[in-house]
Amino acid sequence: MAAGAVDVPLEYVRLGLRFDRLESGLVDAYTGEKRIRAEVESEPAPTPQGLRDQARALLQELEVSGLPADRAGFIRAQLTGLECSARKMSDEPVGFLDEVRSYFQVDLTLGEPADYAAAHAELDTLLPGEGALAERYAAHRRREECPPQRLGEAVHALSSALRDRVRGRYGLPEAETVRYEIVTDKPWSGFNYYEGDYRSRVAINADLPHRLSQLPHLVAHESYPGHHTEHCRKERGLVERAGHLEHTVFLVNTPECLMAEGLADLGVDASIGAGWGPWAAEVLGDLGLRFDGHLAERIAAAAAPLNRVRQDAAVLLHDRGADADEVAAYIQRWSLVSAERARQQLRFLTHPLWRAYITTYVEGYDLLHRWLAARPAGQDVADRFVRLLDEPLTPAVVTAELPAG
């Protein structure tokens, strides 16, 4: 680095830590030197306008930094998201679709009701009986609910089984550990708190019912091969071996979130693949917890198009001007959930920090699922997926790698 040149990766980390002083929780994880955080904490209180200007200045410095293209592209994408967050904090007018584009490098469109209706028709076939489909679907989900007092036991069994799979396919640092805890009064179902040194604390929200067939996805998403595995491998590879300081901080409402959530939602596909339902039924069956794994897998595939309803709800709320009652009714109708569950989803969609975040799950999974399916002929899923775990990819880079059309 030339004398007097700005250390862009370091200043990016400092900037991210300053954002957390204005919006606690915007730093999802920090594994860098305590000294750097302490220095930021001792600075005068930041202002949104000041952080906006710092983000813009760093974007200019990035152009003359001499960083390799992949590092520069990653930091540029992150700074663009941060600059938008600062404008939002300053109460500058930012349209919701522009906000999402700045955060996550994707453009949103509403889903097709015809696709939702087709999913309903397939679920109707899989769940025969009397009464409305929503009632039969709710009854099926209730039959699969894990007894609350056995939730921890089930999670640990699945975590151990998935960990064995991931160690074999992807490798993990010997010292890695995940600690699970049950929490309440949260707007999400599960959350990974990565603590550095290959350790995670995973919180699971007991306010929501957890279905036996959904638990493998939750554990895979948060731990193996999802968030915990990604953090471990990037800490060991990008930070410790390559010295890429920018990966010591993980920031909410930036493109890395869409990559991380899409990766995590592919966790069962990447670790188990087809047949995950019977596999999970066998693991949980050893505990005396039983569900029909074959049926669960077919229902999950049939219901997959309905995942986009949550993003529609955010667009209707924040871009189309619909009120909360209208949006709750929309969620109930197309997602086939109860009024209570619809309101829980609205809580997440209206949270100041998380209101745009649903896109990371919907568009993240869609983008990375297509990218994984488009792997070169003869390439194993694991060989493709490991790039997500190890490389500083962005949504724009992944999109560019997709076949034309």
Side-chain angles (χ1 to χ4, degrees), residues 333-346:
R333 176 186 180 188
W334 290 120
S335 290
L336 301 172
V337 297
S338 66
E340 181 183 18
R341 187 65 181 239
R343 290 290 174 182
Q344 175 74 12
Q345 290 188 23
L346 278 177

Side-chain angles (χ1 to χ4, degrees), residues 364-405:
Y365 176 83
D366 180 67
L367 174 63
L368 298 189
H369 184 268
R370 287 186 287 124
W371 180 80
L372 204 61
R375 63 189 180 277
Q379 185 181 51
D380 184 70
V381 169
D383 291 336
R384 182 80 152 176
F385 187 80
V386 77
R387 289 188 59 199
L388 301 175
L389 295 173
D390 291 354
E391 296 181 27
L393 300 174
T394 63
V397 167
V398 170
T399 299
E401 291 188 9
L402 291 173

Side-chain angles (χ1 to χ4, degrees), residues 96-97 99-101 103-108 257-259 261-262 265 308 310-312 314-315 348-349 354-367:
F96 181 70
L97 300 186
E99 178 184 356
V100 170
R101 185 183 302 111
Y103 290 164
F104 307 125
Q105 297 187 328
V106 293
D107 292 305
L108 301 192
C257 296
L258 185 135
M259 296 298 299
E261 301 298 355
D265 271 351
R308 187 164 287 272
R310 303 172 296 169
Q311 181 168 273
D312 289 353
V315 173
F348 187 75
L349 296 176
W354 301 111
R355 72 175 206 150
Y357 202 81
I358 198 67
T359 289
T360 65
Y361 303 107
V362 177
E363 301 294 343
Y365 176 83
D366 180 67
L367 174 63

Side-chain angles (χ1 to χ4, degrees), residues 13 32 56 59 69 103 147 232 324:
V13 171
R56 291 174 178 174
L59 281 167
Y103 290 164
C232 285

Side-chain angles (χ1 to χ4, degrees), residues 15 19 48-63 79-80 82-84 86-88 90 92 94:
L15 179 61
F19 269 89
Q49 296 84 356
L51 296 184
R52 177 200 60 199
D53 294 344
Q54 289 171 43
R56 291 174 178 174
L58 268 184
L59 281 167
Q60 292 182 330
E61 293 288 348
L62 186 63
E63 300 309 313
L79 287 171
T80 300
L82 290 177
E83 191 269 348
C84 183
R87 286 189 285 129
K88 288 288 295 177
S90 302
E92 294 182 29
V94 180

Side-chain angles (χ1 to χ4, degrees), residues 18 48 76 131 166 201 322 378 400:
R18 290 179 190 124
R76 183 180 300 110
V166 170
R201 173 171 57 90

